[in-house]
Amino acid sequence: MAESLLQASRQRRAKAMTAAAGSAGRAAVSLLLCALLAPGGAYVLDDSDGLGREFDGIGAVSGGGATSRLLVNYPEPYRSQILDYLFKPNFGASLHILKVEIGGDGQTTDGTEPSHMHYALDENYFRGYEWWLMKEAKKRNPNITLMGLPWSFPGWLGKGFNWPYVNLQLTAYYVVSWIVGAKYYHDLDIDYIGIWNERTFDSDYIKVLRRMLNYQGLQQVKIIASDNLWEPIAASMLLDPELLKVIDVIGAHYPGTHTVKDARLTEKKLWSSEDFSTLNNDVGAGCWARVLNQNYINGYMTSTIAWNLVASYYEQLPYGRCGLMTAQEPWSGHYVVESPIWISAHTTQFTQPGWYYLKTVGHLEKGGSYVALTDGLGNLTIIIETMSHKQSKCIRPFLPYFNVSRQYATFILKGSFSEIPGLQVWYTKLGKPSERFLFKQLDSLWLPDGSDSFTLELQADELFTLTTLTAGTKGSYPVPPRSQPFPRIYKDDFNVDYPFFTEAPNFADQTGVFEYFTNMEDPGEHRFTLRQVLNQRPITWAADAYNTISVIGDYKWSNVTIKCDVYIETPQTGGVFIAGRVNKGGILIRSARGVFFWIFANGTYRVTGDLAGWMIYALGQADIRAKKWYTLTLTIKGHFSSGMLNGKPLWTNVPVNFPKNGWAAIGTHFFEFAQFDNFYVEAMG
């Protein structure tokens, strides 16, 4: 590569020039002029004294939870286009790593993801959508690294306790089964496995997990711990030689670009195994650009993984639009390739796991930072960022103030890089729309014969990649369909004989798991239904509700009619509901308000203003029992609501003052089996 560039350089002696400073209107600045105008910092890039740490890649998280929920419903070709922007090499984000949630049936931020083992004797490796997503990622990039991590666990593992470490062997078996199932059913090789997201680790469990992995012939699967803070995992490893041996990577969340001494003393790989989670506007992009460089410079972290991959969940759920791109409208096909996609490309398209950082990386004199990586075969990639404090605040942690100002930076190529004749240049400028550029290829930078340096003029909120690689591309597709609200009239009879996914389109489970179900007891109208399938509270990660609930629709809906056939399976104590104007979801689901119309197997009904059932608007007797289908209708208009049972009024003109709007929903009284069919909603505003 270097030789071909050298030959090209000789042909361009007369055209030797320095890199463009950025925007189309700014001319290239000559080395001499730069030197005369303002002497700046000089930065040596050298491999003579060896290399730094091995680079492990840039990635993103699907899950934690249900963050890709709406993506699966997208029609083609838009779904494939979104996946290309995320995973296709040399096209968009070109991610090196995909980390997925091992669904555990619990609420894990924006919804629940189903477990492969709802119950002790139950195994199903086709639930949810993470299997599908991993296969789609592998289809585009066969070399992508796959990771799995539990957030919640099915309740049976806790044996009555909200704790996954009651039986260490059983929990290890559960996790190893997921890895084995990924290979057996989907031909997916899981590369890394985690312990328990942002919760307590158990040292003995980690050792048991390692032994069980080895027993199953999975020695190649590496363990990352503890997906929380640097401590106490790092200190525990230093004090426990066996624990130190079985953990391959220390993964910390939102480290603020810094590590701790104990973590470095372990001599293990250090990763920011969850980062970003910031609104995906230009400030979020600036956050992402800054941490991608400085996680290594300040904290020796050789991988950074964004939460989350794609914002494919209802925007009013917690952390709306905190993905690398946005795809939250499967009904319209609309999606947005947000600026963090192109920030990712500055690193991912010009490096690969297995490259090495140079030892000569660091901060710029007047703010910003630079890193350089090499494949050891003559290729070099340099990434320079000058993100300002205002333009790069992440959602967490607190960012101390710093200043970035205009500067000239001279980079001197030493060691094996001194013969490089030229570099490709890619450029991003964040901020004002009139000055904004995203991943723009500029003229190549050709070094005059005998020169081993170049100078850049740098201003705030810029990102440069200079590289010997020529394969970078700013991929594109035709503009997707325009944004549309959720359809005002929506219905689903769930009549799908062989569903490709286990969950019905657009329903977003917030507690419990609702799956397509074939009702063998009813070969007639209700043969195919949607069933709530959990009969035990999971080992929770968040504050799951004590009722199960799945939301759907447009959060702006106010006046609605919701109609659904319901079937209580549990005699005496069972109950189900339909609801409108549900105003909270995700980790806040327990405190959701709305209008909830309940019926119970003991022959009663209730109308409440909250999911928990504390705010009772109306109650009474009704001819209701288990094991029988009923049709519920809820109408909310202005400040009043009414309900019908089997087409006949059951309660009318119940006042509703709050909330003013929200989703439609279905659910159950507790963790119980129940079925739903012929769902229909009509929004009138």
Side-chain angles (χ1 to χ4, degrees):
M1 177 66 186
E3 288 181 5
S4 63
L5 278 173
L6 190 58
Q7 184 177 0
S9 175
R10 293 190 180 108
Q11 297 169 359
R12 292 173 171 82
R13 286 184 183 182
K15 298 181 180 179
M17 58 189 299
T18 58
S23 68
R26 284 163 62 190
V29 183
S30 72
L31 286 171
L32 179 60
L33 185 58
C34 284
L36 291 173
L37 285 175
Y43 310 95
V44 175
L45 302 176
D46 191 358
D47 61 353
S48 301
D49 190 31
L51 299 171
R53 295 192 175 213
E54 183 181 7
F55 175 65
D56 296 307
I58 305 302
V61 183
S62 172
T67 54
S68 304
R69 175 68 192 92
L70 298 176
L71 174 62
V72 297
N73 308 336
Y74 264 80
E76 293 295 349
Y78 311 115
R79 189 173 71 177
S80 290
Q81 293 173 4
I82 294 163
L83 293 165
D84 284 350
Y85 280 116
L86 294 169
F87 300 118
K88 186 177 179 180
N90 298 312
F91 188 84
S94 306
L95 295 171
H96 303 134
I97 300 170
L98 173 59
K99 177 179 178 179
V100 303
E101 175 178 353
I102 300 176
D105 296 334
Q107 168 62 247
T108 53
T109 300
D110 290 303
T112 69
E113 297 204 23
S115 170
H116 59 290
M117 298 177 73
H118 291 319
Y119 330 109
L121 300 178
D122 163 65
E123 289 187 58
N124 183 328
Y125 297 93
F126 294 90
R127 291 190 183 117
Y129 36 84
E130 304 296 3
W131 313 106
W132 165 82
L133 185 61
M134 286 189 284
K135 286 189 287 188
E136 292 294 324
K138 276 283 186 184
K139 188 189 300 181
R140 287 161 175 80
N141 177 7
N143 297 319
I144 196 166
T145 298
L146 297 178
M147 303 175 63
L149 174 66
W151 268 250
S152 65
F153 296 83
W156 60 271
L157 285 172
K159 298 186 179 296
F161 296 92
N162 195 41
W163 191 244
Y165 305 129
V166 174
N167 184 322
L168 304 184
Q169 285 76 15
L170 196 61
T171 299
Y173 168 78
Y174 166 81
V175 171
V176 171
S177 295
W178 183 86
I179 298 171
V180 172
K183 181 63 175 178
Y184 184 83
Y185 292 100
H186 303 284
D187 197 26
L188 293 168
D189 294 301
I190 304 301
D191 300 292
Y192 291 87
I193 195 71
I195 307 306
W196 188 13
N197 182 73
E198 296 175 354
R199 296 294 181 265
T200 305
F201 67 89
D202 182 294
S203 297
D204 290 334
Y205 166 73
I206 299 173
K207 297 169 190 175
V208 168
L209 178 62
R210 179 72 269 167
R211 288 196 292 270
M212 194 169 292
L213 286 167
N214 293 348
Y215 181 78
Q216 291 291 334
L218 297 168
Q219 290 87 351
Q220 78 282 3
V221 178
K222 296 181 173 66
I223 290 178
I224 178 170
S226 66
D227 282 291
N228 199 345
L229 304 176
W230 295 116
E231 299 289 14
I233 187 66
S236 299
M237 292 168 67
L238 293 174
L239 294 170
D240 185 337
E242 185 183 353
L243 185 66
L244 181 68
K245 182 180 179 181
V246 300
I247 293 174
D248 300 279
V249 177
I250 303 180
H253 287 193
Y254 308 96
T257 77
H258 293 280
T259 184
V260 297
K261 183 179 179 181
D262 280 353
R264 294 194 299 272
L265 287 174
T266 66
E267 298 184 354
K268 295 288 184 175
K269 288 178 177 289
L270 309 179
W271 289 10
S272 176
S273 54
E274 186 178 312
D275 219 319
F276 182 60
S277 79
T278 302
L279 185 68
N280 57 23
N281 58 14
D282 273 13
V283 174
C287 153
W288 188 228
R290 179 174 55 78
V291 301
L292 284 181
N293 264 22
Q294 296 192 28
N295 274 349
Y296 182 74
I297 296 166
N298 301 336
Y300 307 98
M301 287 165 263
T302 54
S303 176
T304 298
I305 300 173
W307 186 91
N308 58 68
L309 175 72
V310 53
S312 276
Y313 47 98
Y314 292 114
E315 188 170 340
Q316 294 81 8
L317 288 167
Y319 306 102
R321 277 188 53 205
C322 285
L324 296 180
M325 64 180 290
T326 304
Q328 57 193 18
E329 289 186 22
W331 48 87
S332 71
H334 178 74
Y335 64 85
V336 183
V337 184
E338 309 280 7
S339 45
I341 289 287
W342 304 118
I343 297 299
S344 306
H346 271 277
T347 298
T348 57
Q349 290 200 23
F350 309 107
T351 59
Q352 286 298 323
W355 283 41
Y356 280 81
Y357 284 99
L358 271 58
K359 290 181 178 178
T360 48
V361 301
H363 293 274
L364 301 170
E365 282 188 6
K366 296 187 177 180
S369 67
Y370 66 97
V371 295
L373 301 96
T374 181
D375 62 355
L377 302 173
N379 284 308
L380 175 69
T381 291
I382 308 160
I383 304 139
I384 304 160
E385 61 82 20
T386 57
M387 297 301 143
S388 64
H389 183 271
K390 180 180 179 181
Q391 194 68 42
S392 68
K393 286 184 181 178
C394 304
I395 195 169
R396 65 179 77 85
F398 171 76
L399 180 63
Y401 182 76
F402 59 88
N403 187 57
V404 177
S405 57
R406 182 185 178 198
Q407 59 190 303
Y408 293 96
T410 298
F411 292 88
I412 304 165
L413 305 181
K414 295 289 188 182
S416 69
F417 310 122
S418 61
E419 296 293 310
I420 289 176
L423 297 163
Q424 307 295 309
V425 183
W426 292 82
Y427 173 74
T428 288
K429 170 71 173 178
L430 301 174
K432 296 179 182 177
S434 60
E435 301 175 357
R436 188 172 181 263
F437 290 92
L438 291 175
F439 199 57
K440 178 182 176 65
Q441 186 168 19
L442 304 180
D443 290 340
S444 300
L445 183 157
W446 297 102
L447 302 178
D449 285 353
S451 174
D452 62 357
S453 66
F454 59 90
T455 297
L456 298 177
E457 180 191 2
L458 303 173
Q459 297 189 19
D461 302 321
E462 293 183 331
L463 183 61
F464 281 94
T465 297
L466 300 101
T467 179
T468 55
L469 299 183
T470 58
T473 309
K474 186 173 184 180
S476 66
Y477 284 111
V479 177
R482 65 185 179 89
S483 176
Q484 299 267 16
F486 195 96
R488 284 181 174 271
I489 297 177
Y490 184 83
K491 56 187 175 182
D492 194 336
D493 60 12
F494 312 117
N495 289 352
V496 184
D497 203 346
Y498 297 102
F500 192 77
F501 294 104
T502 54
E503 297 161 286
N506 303 317
F507 279 92
D509 303 348
Q510 300 302 309
T511 297
V513 174
F514 296 73
E515 295 179 350
Y516 282 120
F517 181 66
T518 302
N519 192 345
M520 306 305 293
E521 298 176 5
D522 189 341
E525 181 187 358
H526 299 295
R527 178 171 174 79
F528 300 109
T529 66
L530 191 68
R531 190 187 195 211
Q532 200 294 118
V533 296
L534 300 189
N535 62 356
Q536 184 177 4
R537 184 176 177 82
I539 297 171
T540 57
W541 182 81
D544 297 45
Y546 290 96
N547 331 83
T548 73
I549 179 172
S550 187
V551 302
I552 189 171
D554 190 331
Y555 189 80
K556 296 177 183 177
W557 282 347
S558 180
N559 299 324
V560 293
T561 295
I562 301 154
K563 185 178 179 181
C564 190
D565 298 341
V566 299
Y567 185 85
I568 303 169
E569 296 190 36
T570 307
Q572 297 304 316
T573 58
V576 298
F577 70 82
I578 63 173
R581 294 189 186 177
V582 177
N583 74 338
K584 289 181 184 177
I587 50 178
L588 307 174
I589 189 61
R590 190 184 290 188
S591 59
R593 297 281 302 275
V595 181
F596 296 82
F597 176 17
W598 310 75
I599 63 169
F600 299 95
N602 64 3
T604 63
Y605 75 88
R606 189 172 296 178
V607 185
T608 67
D610 62 335
L611 176 62
W614 293 104
M615 305 177 65
I616 300 173
Y617 291 161
L619 50 79
Q621 303 292 317
D623 183 16
I624 300 161
R625 64 178 187 272
K627 308 287 187 179
K628 184 178 178 182
W629 282 98
Y630 299 92
T631 301
L632 300 184
T633 306
L634 170 64
T635 299
I636 310 170
K637 189 172 183 180
H639 294 291
F640 295 94
S641 61
S642 59
M644 292 195 292
L645 177 67
N646 292 339
K648 296 180 180 180
L650 187 62
W651 50 276
T652 58
N653 294 326
V654 168
V656 177
N657 295 316
F658 182 86
K660 304 295 184 185
N661 55 276
W663 296 292
I666 58 175
T668 66
H669 181 47
F670 60 95
F671 287 91
E672 59 181 293
F673 299 130
Q675 296 176 53
F676 303 83
D677 202 1
N678 299 317
F679 178 84
Y680 173 89
V681 60
E682 181 176 353
M684 296 155 282

